[in-house]
Amino acid sequence: MSKKKNYRRILADLGRELIDYGLTLGSGGNISLRVKNFIYIKTSGAWFKDARLKDYIKVPLRESANNIFNKSPKPSCELKMHIFCYRRRQGINCIIHTHPTYSIIFASTIG
């Protein structure tokens, strides 16, 4: 018998590792995981370092993102981008989108 995976735990641990490795700060970016017809994604305003299991919510992949934003807890504002990627690329099962400090600094200096 296979052991049921705790997808929220996987994402919470991954989020803390992103902070530990200096790949982002605070709530900079988001991560999500596709499991069949659902995705798990961080809620709006949750910081990677402090995010608890309840801060990763399960969202139906086929439901309109506009309907999901009216529910509580509110998903990341990047939900539409994640849903778009999953719908366009069936082989993608995880998205890691961060705002690395030095990349942000470099992008801000280009004028």
Side-chain angles (χ1 to χ4, degrees), residues 66-80:
N66 292 331
N67 291 342
I68 296 167
F69 281 120
N70 294 326
K71 297 179 180 176
S72 183
K74 187 177 266 191
S76 165
C77 63
E78 297 164 344
L79 174 66
K80 288 182 181 182

Side-chain angles (χ1 to χ4, degrees), residues 25-39:
L25 295 172
S27 64
N30 210 315
I31 52 179
S32 65
L33 180 66
R34 180 199 332 229
V35 180
K36 298 182 183 175
N37 294 319
F38 295 91
I39 66 171

Side-chain angles (χ1 to χ4, degrees), residues 52-65:
R52 296 173 294 198
L53 300 187
K54 71 176 188 166
D55 292 319
Y56 290 91
I57 58 174
K58 185 177 181 180
V59 175
L61 187 55
R62 295 292 172 204
E63 186 173 348
S64 165

Side-chain angles (χ1 to χ4, degrees), residues 87-102:
R87 287 181 181 172
R88 293 283 290 184
R89 300 287 303 272
Q90 293 300 309
I92 294 174
N93 293 310
C94 182
I95 296 172
I96 301 172
H97 160 217
T98 65
H99 303 169
T101 305
Y102 293 109

